[in-house]
Amino acid sequence: MKRISWNQYFMAQSQLLSSRSTCTRLAVGATIVRDKRMIAGGYNGSIAGGTHCTDEGCYIVDNHCVRTIHAEMNALLQCAKFGVATEGAEIYVTHFPCLQCCKALIQAGIKAVYYAQDYKNHPYALELFEQANVKTEKVSIDKDIFLSFAENV
């Protein structure tokens, strides 16, 4: 069996995290990595113990679900909760971060954003990442990784 690249490994982790999402509109997963070690993971959904969109539907205000916390924010908040530094870390996300998550990632000291799919890529988010010298790179998810894994189970 061929060894997968780091990018594919961490993106696969984010894809797996997205399967825990309780958002009915878009399942997103995020993995924060420092020195090739996962330090946090997150997926989009409601607050811990709260009502989920999968249970009662989305709570839409101005065309946005206000019940949902984004995967990137959940991963950053996990680091904050447990006292794990994010300065100089990287994040792997299944979808390009929204503008608010972009700003939070920059403020948290994330140095690189790897994403699998474009999703409403905001021009200002791209501009902010560039101003902050945050690398952004699209990393396609290799579906064969999941297929070969399933064959070996």
Side-chain angles (χ1 to χ4, degrees), residues 5 37 48 69 75 78 93 108 134-135 137 147:
S5 71
R37 300 287 182 261
I69 301 170
Q78 186 179 77
V93 191
V134 173
K135 174 184 176 179
E137 183 180 330
L147 293 174

Side-chain angles (χ1 to χ4, degrees), residues 37-68:
R37 300 287 182 261
M38 292 177 279
I39 61 173
Y43 51 88
N44 56 334
S46 67
I47 62 168
T51 302
H52 296 283
C53 297
T54 51
D55 299 329
E56 293 188 15
C58 293
Y59 184 177
I60 304 295
V61 176
D62 295 331
N63 204 31
H64 295 283
C65 180
V66 296
R67 180 175 283 142
T68 300

Side-chain angles (χ1 to χ4, degrees), residues 28 30 70-74 76 86 89 91 93 95-115 119-136:
V28 180
H70 291 186
E72 303 92 325
M73 292 298 288
N74 266 330
L76 288 174
T86 54
I91 191 165
V93 191
H95 295 78
F96 190 84
C98 73
L99 182 57
Q100 297 306 317
C101 286
C102 158
K103 292 187 278 186
L105 293 169
I106 291 168
Q107 288 299 94
I110 299 294
K111 69 176 182 179
V113 175
Y114 300 96
Y115 63 99
Y119 183 73
K120 300 181 182 179
N121 301 25
H122 198 287
Y124 189 52
L126 292 165
E127 183 181 329
L128 288 175
F129 281 142
E130 188 175 323
Q131 284 176 14
N133 293 317
V134 173
K135 174 184 176 179
T136 58

Side-chain angles (χ1 to χ4, degrees), residues 7 9-10 17 22 39 42 50 55 69 77 88 103-104 106 133 139:
N7 278 352
Y9 174 71
F10 294 125
L17 280 161
T22 59
I39 61 173
D55 299 329
I69 301 170
L77 291 167
K103 292 187 278 186
I106 291 168
N133 293 317
V139 175

